[in-house]
Amino acid sequence: MNTIEMDRTYIAGTYKRFPVEIVSGQGSLVRDVNGKEYIDMGSGIAVTSFGIADPEWIRAVEEQIHSVQHMSNLYYTAPCAKLAKLLCEKTGMSRVFFSNSGAEANECAVKAARKWAAEQKGPDCATIVTLENSFHGRTLTTLAATGQAHYHELYQPLTPGFASFRAGDMEALRHLCEGGGVAAVLIECIQGEGGVLPLDPAFAKELADFLRKEDILLMVDEVQTGNGRTGSMYAYMQYGLHPDVVSTAKGLAGGLPMGATLLGARVKDVFSYGDHGSTFGGNPVAAAAALSVVNRLTDDFLLDVQRKGRLLREQLEGAEGIESVSGLGLMLGLKTVRPAGEVVADCMKNGVLCLTAKDRVRLLPALNIPDELLLRAAAVIRQACGM
Ligand code: PLP
């Protein structure tokens, strides 16, 4: 059996994979089992922040593997402590809980909000409100948070205590909050899986002002938008928001599983011993990898992510077959005349790996992708869109 046959026989059939087996890579170039090279415009869905086999990332991981690859959270280890300090310094948040994925980071956010609200306002204040068309993960709780009914259908009953409203509809939110049962609102600044749809900044501000006035927590899901992806450390910074809780994962550790839930001043002491935990959370190798990523997200580097984002956008905006370009930094969505799936298939044939998000082509290249590769990829994408 080759890899594809083995995978199709033995792995649960949850992923509709492209018929390509990737075996190696360097930076933003990857190679398949037949030696064909591709420009990687998806970076493992916003994970390999500095590309494949990045030398600095490898050095950090190797060094840590040779000292200690895992200790239980019953003991102190330096990498996760240093990473938590760095994340707090870069955001103004107060404490961090580490986990292994975006869904877990959001689970922790929900637990933090529920405990905070129960202590501050009583046990009836437990509802978490999210936006329609959002995506927050695949566990039963984060599916309940995800404001897209089709994800819910097969898995009832989901965790109770969630409601969604349409972005921009403040009236609907006010209605949900009547009676004081809402603990927190969880938003993505750009809905990634929902189609690379940025929130209207005026709505984001109105929402934040309303929540502050009502003493309801603002929680921002930065799983996909975070860690430099949009040209700032976190996308909420470009929206001028001051969230109480931030969840992140994906690009944080540049290719190793790591989630983080950042707790702001109001909730920093919400958890006590035993309230939450994770065997692998804050694993020293994942934390060392994340340190090598986050330490490089300097102001100058982030300005360069913005510049690359503009460069890519300029190459695509107005091109034949592209109706519009959405997103921020190096998180872009293309509304195409041809079905997005067909565009992505043609790009792959011509050596460029892209993603879809709903009806859009989604581009999430490594943050350090060389300009020359961006331009080459853009030419292939333009050609596929214009066919
Ligand atoms: N939140 C957002 C905004 C996401 O885009 C995703 C994954 O795509 C998740 C949460 C879930 O992350 P994970 O797949 O790491 O559990």
PDB file of all heavy atoms in Angstrom, residues 150-162:
ATOM      1  N   HIS A 150     -24.982  24.241  10.291  1.00  0.00           N
ATOM      2  CA  HIS A 150     -24.688  22.966   9.622  1.00  0.00           C
ATOM      3  C   HIS A 150     -23.607  22.162  10.343  1.00  0.00           C
ATOM      4  O   HIS A 150     -23.553  20.946  10.212  1.00  0.00           O
ATOM      5  CB  HIS A 150     -24.331  23.186   8.148  1.00  0.00           C
ATOM      6  CG  HIS A 150     -23.012  23.847   7.919  1.00  0.00           C
ATOM      7  ND1 HIS A 150     -21.865  23.140   7.658  1.00  0.00           N
ATOM      8  CD2 HIS A 150     -22.670  25.154   7.935  1.00  0.00           C
ATOM      9  CE1 HIS A 150     -20.868  23.988   7.487  1.00  0.00           C
ATOM     10  NE2 HIS A 150     -21.324  25.209   7.660  1.00  0.00           N
ATOM     11  N   TYR A 151     -22.761  22.837  11.133  1.00  0.00           N
ATOM     12  CA  TYR A 151     -21.760  22.101  11.923  1.00  0.00           C
ATOM     13  C   TYR A 151     -22.408  21.372  13.106  1.00  0.00           C
ATOM     14  O   TYR A 151     -21.813  20.495  13.703  1.00  0.00           O
ATOM     15  CB  TYR A 151     -20.703  23.050  12.488  1.00  0.00           C
ATOM     16  CG  TYR A 151     -19.660  23.508  11.497  1.00  0.00           C
ATOM     17  CD1 TYR A 151     -19.645  24.819  11.040  1.00  0.00           C
ATOM     18  CD2 TYR A 151     -18.670  22.640  11.043  1.00  0.00           C
ATOM     19  CE1 TYR A 151     -18.669  25.258  10.142  1.00  0.00           C
ATOM     20  CE2 TYR A 151     -17.696  23.068  10.148  1.00  0.00           C
ATOM     21  CZ  TYR A 151     -17.700  24.383   9.705  1.00  0.00           C
ATOM     22  OH  TYR A 151     -16.742  24.800   8.830  1.00  0.00           O
ATOM     23  N   HIS A 152     -23.613  21.812  13.488  1.00  0.00           N
ATOM     24  CA  HIS A 152     -24.251  21.298  14.710  1.00  0.00           C
ATOM     25  C   HIS A 152     -25.054  20.025  14.484  1.00  0.00           C
ATOM     26  O   HIS A 152     -25.258  19.247  15.406  1.00  0.00           O
ATOM     27  CB  HIS A 152     -25.223  22.342  15.294  1.00  0.00           C
ATOM     28  CG  HIS A 152     -24.567  23.624  15.666  1.00  0.00           C
ATOM     29  ND1 HIS A 152     -25.275  24.712  16.126  1.00  0.00           N
ATOM     30  CD2 HIS A 152     -23.288  24.026  15.674  1.00  0.00           C
ATOM     31  CE1 HIS A 152     -24.455  25.715  16.372  1.00  0.00           C
ATOM     32  NE2 HIS A 152     -23.239  25.318  16.097  1.00  0.00           N
ATOM     33  N   GLU A 153     -25.508  19.866  13.223  1.00  0.00           N
ATOM     34  CA  GLU A 153     -26.603  18.933  12.954  1.00  0.00           C
ATOM     35  C   GLU A 153     -26.412  17.517  13.511  1.00  0.00           C
ATOM     36  O   GLU A 153     -27.298  16.963  14.143  1.00  0.00           O
ATOM     37  CB  GLU A 153     -26.879  18.870  11.443  1.00  0.00           C
ATOM     38  CG  GLU A 153     -27.771  20.013  10.982  1.00  0.00           C
ATOM     39  CD  GLU A 153     -27.597  20.337   9.514  1.00  0.00           C
ATOM     40  OE1 GLU A 153     -27.053  19.485   8.776  1.00  0.00           O
ATOM     41  OE2 GLU A 153     -27.983  21.454   9.111  1.00  0.00           O
ATOM     42  N   LEU A 154     -25.222  16.947  13.306  1.00  0.00           N
ATOM     43  CA  LEU A 154     -25.042  15.527  13.646  1.00  0.00           C
ATOM     44  C   LEU A 154     -24.701  15.287  15.112  1.00  0.00           C
ATOM     45  O   LEU A 154     -24.598  14.140  15.536  1.00  0.00           O
ATOM     46  CB  LEU A 154     -23.918  14.932  12.783  1.00  0.00           C
ATOM     47  CG  LEU A 154     -24.124  15.032  11.274  1.00  0.00           C
ATOM     48  CD1 LEU A 154     -22.893  14.556  10.530  1.00  0.00           C
ATOM     49  CD2 LEU A 154     -25.335  14.214  10.859  1.00  0.00           C
ATOM     50  N   TYR A 155     -24.519  16.352  15.884  1.00  0.00           N
ATOM     51  CA  TYR A 155     -23.882  16.163  17.198  1.00  0.00           C
ATOM     52  C   TYR A 155     -24.691  16.697  18.376  1.00  0.00           C
ATOM     53  O   TYR A 155     -24.141  17.050  19.408  1.00  0.00           O
ATOM     54  CB  TYR A 155     -22.471  16.799  17.175  1.00  0.00           C
ATOM     55  CG  TYR A 155     -21.647  16.174  16.071  1.00  0.00           C
ATOM     56  CD1 TYR A 155     -21.378  16.865  14.912  1.00  0.00           C
ATOM     57  CD2 TYR A 155     -21.212  14.857  16.185  1.00  0.00           C
ATOM     58  CE1 TYR A 155     -20.653  16.271  13.880  1.00  0.00           C
ATOM     59  CE2 TYR A 155     -20.499  14.251  15.165  1.00  0.00           C
ATOM     60  CZ  TYR A 155     -20.225  14.963  14.017  1.00  0.00           C
ATOM     61  OH  TYR A 155     -19.522  14.361  13.009  1.00  0.00           O
ATOM     62  N   GLN A 156     -25.988  16.716  18.215  1.00  0.00           N
ATOM     63  CA  GLN A 156     -26.842  17.191  19.321  1.00  0.00           C
ATOM     64  C   GLN A 156     -26.875  16.154  20.434  1.00  0.00           C
ATOM     65  O   GLN A 156     -26.783  14.961  20.142  1.00  0.00           O
ATOM     66  CB  GLN A 156     -28.251  17.439  18.796  1.00  0.00           C
ATOM     67  CG  GLN A 156     -28.327  18.503  17.717  1.00  0.00           C
ATOM     68  CD  GLN A 156     -28.028  19.896  18.230  1.00  0.00           C
ATOM     69  OE1 GLN A 156     -28.135  20.154  19.434  1.00  0.00           O
ATOM     70  NE2 GLN A 156     -27.624  20.783  17.353  1.00  0.00           N
ATOM     71  N   PRO A 157     -27.015  16.476  21.688  1.00  0.00           N
ATOM     72  CA  PRO A 157     -27.080  17.856  22.165  1.00  0.00           C
ATOM     73  C   PRO A 157     -25.684  18.438  22.387  1.00  0.00           C
ATOM     74  O   PRO A 157     -24.790  17.753  22.890  1.00  0.00           O
ATOM     75  CB  PRO A 157     -27.809  17.712  23.512  1.00  0.00           C
ATOM     76  CG  PRO A 157     -27.433  16.341  23.997  1.00  0.00           C
ATOM     77  CD  PRO A 157     -27.221  15.500  22.769  1.00  0.00           C
ATOM     78  N   LEU A 158     -25.516  19.686  22.003  1.00  0.00           N
ATOM     79  CA  LEU A 158     -24.256  20.392  22.251  1.00  0.00           C
ATOM     80  C   LEU A 158     -24.294  21.008  23.644  1.00  0.00           C
ATOM     81  O   LEU A 158     -25.340  21.020  24.310  1.00  0.00           O
ATOM     82  CB  LEU A 158     -24.074  21.497  21.212  1.00  0.00           C
ATOM     83  CG  LEU A 158     -24.089  21.048  19.745  1.00  0.00           C
ATOM     84  CD1 LEU A 158     -23.971  22.266  18.830  1.00  0.00           C
ATOM     85  CD2 LEU A 158     -22.968  20.065  19.457  1.00  0.00           C
ATOM     86  N   THR A 159     -23.172  21.534  24.080  1.00  0.00           N
ATOM     87  CA  THR A 159     -23.118  22.235  25.369  1.00  0.00           C
ATOM     88  C   THR A 159     -24.140  23.379  25.373  1.00  0.00           C
ATOM     89  O   THR A 159     -24.145  24.199  24.448  1.00  0.00           O
ATOM     90  CB  THR A 159     -21.714  22.844  25.580  1.00  0.00           C
ATOM     91  OG1 THR A 159     -20.764  21.799  25.414  1.00  0.00           O
ATOM     92  CG2 THR A 159     -21.576  23.475  26.945  1.00  0.00           C
ATOM     93  N   PRO A 160     -25.020  23.442  26.372  1.00  0.00           N
ATOM     94  CA  PRO A 160     -26.003  24.543  26.388  1.00  0.00           C
ATOM     95  C   PRO A 160     -25.368  25.873  26.803  1.00  0.00           C
ATOM     96  O   PRO A 160     -24.232  25.909  27.265  1.00  0.00           O
ATOM     97  CB  PRO A 160     -27.025  24.077  27.427  1.00  0.00           C
ATOM     98  CG  PRO A 160     -26.312  23.087  28.275  1.00  0.00           C
ATOM     99  CD  PRO A 160     -25.185  22.508  27.472  1.00  0.00           C
ATOM    100  N   GLY A 161     -26.141  26.950  26.617  1.00  0.00           N
ATOM    101  CA  GLY A 161     -25.684  28.245  27.106  1.00  0.00           C
ATOM    102  C   GLY A 161     -24.965  29.081  26.066  1.00  0.00           C
ATOM    103  O   GLY A 161     -24.098  29.890  26.404  1.00  0.00           O
ATOM    104  N   PHE A 162     -25.297  28.859  24.785  1.00  0.00           N
ATOM    105  CA  PHE A 162     -24.701  29.664  23.707  1.00  0.00           C
ATOM    106  C   PHE A 162     -25.801  30.287  22.862  1.00  0.00           C
ATOM    107  O   PHE A 162     -26.864  29.698  22.676  1.00  0.00           O
ATOM    108  CB  PHE A 162     -23.793  28.804  22.817  1.00  0.00           C
ATOM    109  CG  PHE A 162     -22.493  28.448  23.503  1.00  0.00           C
ATOM    110  CD1 PHE A 162     -22.440  27.365  24.380  1.00  0.00           C
ATOM    111  CD2 PHE A 162     -21.356  29.207  23.304  1.00  0.00           C
ATOM    112  CE1 PHE A 162     -21.270  27.048  25.036  1.00  0.00           C
ATOM    113  CE2 PHE A 162     -20.178  28.894  23.957  1.00  0.00           C
ATOM    114  CZ  PHE A 162     -20.132  27.815  24.826  1.00  0.00           C
TER     115      PHE A 162
END
